[in-house]
Amino acid sequence: MLLNVQDIEIAYDRIKVLWGVTLCVGEGEIVSLLGANGAGKSTLLKGIMGIVPLQRGSISFLEKDVSKKHPWKKAKMGIAYIPEGGRVFPDLTVEENLMLIASLHKEAFDVKENLDLVYSLFPVLKERLQQKAGTLSGGERQMLAIGRALMSKPKLLLIDEVSMGLMPKLVSEVFNTLSLLKEYGISILLTEQNVPEALAISDRGYVLENGRITISGNSEELLGNEMVKMSFLGL
Ligand code: ATP
C-alpha cells in the first residue's frame, strides 16, 4: 500500500472531529472521500499531510511510519497537498509559481521533465506563463495549483474540493486531467462534493459521516448504494 491510515483521531481544542478513521490508497489508485459539509474531509487530508496533529492512530506512507512527520518531510517523500481553492501565490506569475516549488525540491528531479508534463496536461498554463496567478480564471488557477503540485513529482496527491467554484465544463476538464495522472504513476486521494464526477474517475471511495467512515467500496458499489444515492446523487 502507498498510504495506510490506521484508526486516527483528530480534535480541534477538545472537540473531536475524526473518530477512528481507517483507510488506504494503493499505488496508481484514485480514491474519493465523500461526505456532507463539516463531515471532516478537509481535516482528514490535513491530518494525513501533517498540518493538524493526530490525537491517536497512525499513518504510513511507502511502508514508513509518517504519523508525526512534518508536512515538509512528507512533501519530500512524495505527498503533495492541494488545499481547497488551490491557493496559488497571486502576485507571482504562473511561471514563478511553478518554478518556486521546483526550486525548493531541486536536488530530487528534473525540472524540465516536470514542466513538460505540466504543459502537456495544461496547455493553457504555457500560454500564460508571464501572467500573474491572481488574474487567472478560477479554472486556470485550479490547473496551476495542480501543476504546481506536480512540479514536486509526487507519488500521492491529496486534493481538497478540486471542483469548488468551477463551471461544469471546467469540472469535467479538471477531472479528465486527474484521471490521466494515473498513467504517470501518481495516486490521488480527493474530497469532492461533485460525487458522480468524482466516482467516475475513482477506483474506490469512502463516505465520511460526522467524522466516521460509514461506507466504503469500489465506485460501482458506491454508485449503487442507497445511502449514497439519496445523500449525494439526489436519487
Ligand atoms: P467542508 O466540505 O464544509 O469543508 P469538511 O467535510 O471538509 O467540510 P472539515 O472542514 O474537516 O469538514 O470540518 C470538520 C469539523 O471540524 C467541522 O465541524 C468544522 O467546523 C470543524 N473545524 C474545521 N477546522 C477547524 C478549526 N481550525 N478549528 C476548529 N474547528 C474546526
Side-chain angles (χ1 to χ4, degrees), residues 12 17 36-44 46 84 160-161 193:
Y12 293 109
V17 299
N37 287 334
K41 306 179 298 295
S42 301
T43 301
L44 181 47
K46 288 177 189 164
E84 204 172 300
D160 205 356
E161 299 283 348
Q193 302 272 345

Side-chain angles (χ1 to χ4, degrees), residues 199 202-204 217-225:
L199 288 179
S202 295
D203 299 290
R204 294 186 298 113
N218 65 36
S219 294
E220 265 173 37
E221 288 163 348
L222 291 180
L223 285 167
N225 181 284

Side-chain angles (χ1 to χ4, degrees), residues 63-185:
E63 315 297 331
K64 293 199 178 67
D65 183 6
V66 295
S67 313
K68 296 202 170 96
K69 287 250 189 291
H70 192 272
W72 172 241
K73 281 264 165 59
K74 290 186 183 169
K76 286 240 165 204
M77 291 174 75
I79 307 180
Y81 166 64
I82 305 176
E84 204 172 300
R87 306 232 189 101
V88 295
F89 295 104
D91 296 327
L92 299 185
T93 63
V94 167
E95 187 172 32
E96 287 164 345
N97 265 280
L98 294 172
M99 293 309 290
L100 183 69
I101 301 301
S103 65
L104 294 174
H105 289 261
K106 60 180 173 260
E107 72 283 29
F109 31 65
D110 184 339
V111 171
K112 184 172 178 309
E113 184 189 315
N114 294 351
L115 269 180
D116 286 346
L117 170 62
V118 172
Y119 295 154
S120 70
L121 291 170
F122 303 113
V124 67
L125 294 182
K126 197 171 181 182
E127 291 162 21
R128 294 176 185 274
L129 282 181
Q130 302 313 319
Q131 190 171 327
K132 290 264 199 304
T135 65
L136 295 173
S137 72
E140 289 161 355
R141 240 193 331 262
Q142 199 58 273
M143 291 174 197
L144 177 57
I146 299 169
R148 204 178 55 170
L150 294 177
M151 289 303 290
S152 64
K153 204 160 193 190
K155 296 183 185 73
L156 173 66
L157 274 183
L158 306 173
I159 313 182
D160 205 356
E161 299 283 348
V162 74
S163 73
M164 181 72 94
L166 299 187
M167 296 182 320
K169 182 178 165 290
L170 278 177
V171 174
S172 309
E173 224 174 274
V174 170
F175 275 110
N176 282 340
T177 306
L178 291 181
S179 67
L180 295 178
L181 294 180
K182 266 182 147 188
E183 290 167 25
Y184 296 92

